[in-house]
Amino acid sequence: AQTVTQSQPEMSVQEAETVTLSCTYDTSESDYYLFWYKQPPSRQMILVIRQEAYKQQNATENRFSVNFQKAAKSFSLKISDSQLGDAAMYFCAYEEGGADGLTFGKGTHLIIQP
Amino acid sequence: KAGVTQTPRYLIKTRGQQVTLSCSPISGHRSVSWYQQTPGQGLQFLFEYFSETQRNKGNFPGRFSGRQFSNSRSEMNVSTLELGDSALYLCASSGGTVNTEAFFGQGTRLTVV
């Protein structure tokens, strides 16, 4: 079974600074997708970024970027110029290619200090 | 475009009862997935439906079941409720292609007493 590990239960960063959230995963599959989802206090999960495993290029969405290390099975999220609205739980997730159904990590609670 | 709608938002049930939760996906989306979120176990995948067929299933007991209707609306049912079933149940919908973005609803908070 696939597993996703987020080793940082909580992270704190000053507004406008950069923070990196860690994620590792374990799978024997070669076709898979990785995601970062954000869950603010409203509880509504929102997609932050998506990465196809077959793509070597790291995905980027505005201030959000990933460092995808396939051999190391690592998928970290970098948030640049942190804003107060970035405060939330961040979940790393894995999905096997050809099948809908996300496996989530336990999450990292991100605190933004003003 | 309306988002994913889950009803009810909050629910209190007694041990041993059964409960049905509803999810209306984004218009045009044919895939609906269900997740359970608890403080202890985190987010866990329950099952996924596409065109009225269960396409994928997580590791939950048979007390948890679901179905999807021809209009893509989905329901999940939990029978013989246990205290441990207290959780936030999230529904997500996505377009026909697999592995695309899942759009989540705000969830149904189920409390079993």
Side-chain angles (χ1 to χ4, degrees), chain A residues 41-106:
Chain A
S42 68
R43 302 300 248 170
Q44 182 138 23
M45 300 281 281
I46 302 163
L47 178 68
V48 175
I49 205 162
R50 172 179 176 267
Q51 173 82 44
E52 299 94 330
Y54 62 85
K55 284 189 177 178
Q56 292 191 337
Q57 187 172 6
N58 290 323
T60 300
E61 287 289 338
N62 300 314
R63 297 182 296 107
F64 299 87
S65 62
V66 296
N67 183 3
F68 175 44
Q69 301 289 327
K70 192 170 183 178
K73 294 181 181 174
S74 170
F75 183 61
S76 60
L77 174 70
K78 185 172 87 170
I79 306 174
S80 304
D81 186 26
S82 297
Q83 300 175 1
L84 294 177
D86 295 334
M89 283 292 291
Y90 284 80
F91 292 94
C92 179
Y94 166 100
E95 190 166 71
E96 190 175 313
D100 279 335
L102 296 157
T103 299
F104 285 94
K106 294 290 189 185

Side-chain angles (χ1 to χ4, degrees), chain B residues 94-112:
Chain B
S94 58
T97 307
V98 291
N99 304 128
T100 54
E101 177 180 359
F103 293 84
F104 284 80
Q106 290 190 287
T108 294
R109 170 73 68 185
L110 172 65
T111 302
V112 182

Side-chain angles (χ1 to χ4, degrees), chain A residues 25-37:
Chain A
Y25 59 95
D26 187 25
T27 183
S28 57
E29 303 292 332
S30 58
D31 179 22
Y32 56 89
Y33 296 75
L34 298 165
F35 304 81
W36 278 97
Y37 277 88

Side-chain angles (χ1 to χ4, degrees), chain B residues 19-77:
Chain B
V19 67
T20 299
L21 312 182
S22 179
C23 173
S24 293
I26 291 172
S27 178
H29 283 188
R30 295 164 65 190
S31 170
V32 174
S33 299
W34 289 89
Y35 296 85
Q36 181 195 64
Q37 185 174 23
T38 60
Q41 298 299 316
L43 279 153
Q44 294 184 282
F45 170 68
L46 281 153
F47 29 65
E48 184 250 351
Y49 285 86
F50 180 82
S51 292
E52 302 179 65
T53 301
Q54 188 180 88
R55 210 166 49 168
N56 198 6
K57 187 177 186 300
N59 189 25
F60 275 80
R63 299 187 297 107
F64 292 81
S65 63
R67 59 177 176 169
Q68 186 180 34
F69 302 94
S70 58
N71 62 357
S72 293
R73 189 177 71 86
S74 178
E75 289 181 346
M76 70 161 280
N77 184 278

